[in-house]
Amino acid sequence: MVQQRKGRDNPFIWIGIGLAVVLGGVAVAVALTSSKSPTASVSPTQVTVNQPTSTSQTSASTTSPPTSQPLIEQQATALSGLLGQSANDRAAIVGAVADIGNCGYLYRDETTLNDAYGSRESLLGQLQSLDLSLLPGGSQLNTYLTNSWRASASSDHSYANWASDELNSGCTVNDHSDVNYQNAQVSDGQSTANKSSFAAAWNPIASSYGLPTVTALTI
């Protein structure tokens, strides 16, 4: 009995037991660590993140840019715009000339025709700045229209002077003997001939692009 108690009270025994427990714990921890898959730790540089594609990016990559208007069609459209301006002036001109013949509002008629003259000069300036090189017979179109508008501008000026003559001398209905009226008739004839040639060359082009056609009476 005494010997057994001495064995139990021996401090070296307890130290040995403690060491055994500690070593056992370390062994378990090492075993657990080594049992983990080496692929569980991922380097940040190996991570690939798939970003969602935004709607705007998708649209940009799948939508084609709008097709621009062909240059030849742009030239035709620009010329048609000038013809439209001329047509708007023509109604006022025809009305003023008829009113002079009837001894109507001569001051107003003179002003209308002087304004028309200025408008013709403006159209001529715009026409010269247009590039018509791609239109079939573009150079000839420019020549016909230039000659017609120059003659028309001369007529507008002569008709305005006719109105002034009638104001100053006392108006005579349909006074076709006035020199300014006669000058206007000459330039009107020149203008009409060029306008007819222009319309014949222009209308097939206008039709092919869905633009308004013209006549000598609407240019």
Side-chain angles (χ1 to χ4, degrees), residues 85-105:
Q85 293 179 47
S86 179
N88 290 338
D89 293 338
R90 186 169 178 79
I93 293 168
V94 171
V97 171
D99 197 55
I100 296 169
N102 292 324
C103 294
Y105 298 96

Side-chain angles (χ1 to χ4, degrees), residues 58-81:
T58 303
S59 300
S61 61
T62 59
T63 303
S64 300
T67 303
S68 61
Q69 188 182 42
L71 185 57
I72 185 172
E73 188 173 351
Q74 292 179 32
Q75 293 182 2
T77 301
L79 181 55
S80 181

Side-chain angles (χ1 to χ4, degrees), residues 13-148:
I13 295 175
W14 294 110
I15 291 172
I17 293 172
L19 288 173
V21 172
V22 171
L23 291 175
V26 171
V28 171
V30 171
L32 289 175
T33 302
S34 62
S35 67
K36 292 182 180 180
S37 173
T39 60
S41 60
V42 180
S43 172
T45 60
Q46 295 175 335
V47 177
T48 301
V49 179
N50 294 324
Q51 297 289 347
T53 303
S54 66
T55 303
S56 60
Q57 290 175 331
T58 303
S59 300
S61 61
T62 59
T63 303
S64 300
T67 303
S68 61
Q69 188 182 42
L71 185 57
I72 185 172
E73 188 173 351
Q74 292 179 32
Q75 293 182 2
T77 301
L79 181 55
S80 181
L82 293 187
L83 296 173
Q85 293 179 47
S86 179
N88 290 338
D89 293 338
R90 186 169 178 79
I93 293 168
V94 171
V97 171
D99 197 55
I100 296 169
N102 292 324
C103 294
Y105 298 96
L106 299 178
Y107 284 111
R108 182 188 64 188
D109 297 334
E110 183 180 7
T111 298
T112 297
L113 290 162
N114 281 326
D115 289 345
Y117 172 80
S119 180
R120 299 281 192 193
E121 291 295 314
S122 175
L123 286 172
L124 282 166
Q126 294 178 66
L127 176 61
Q128 299 315 308
S129 69
L130 286 186
D131 180 6
L132 306 179
S133 60
L134 297 180
L135 297 180
S139 177
Q140 192 62 59
L141 285 172
N142 190 309
T143 298
Y144 286 143
L145 195 54
T146 296
N147 290 341
S148 68

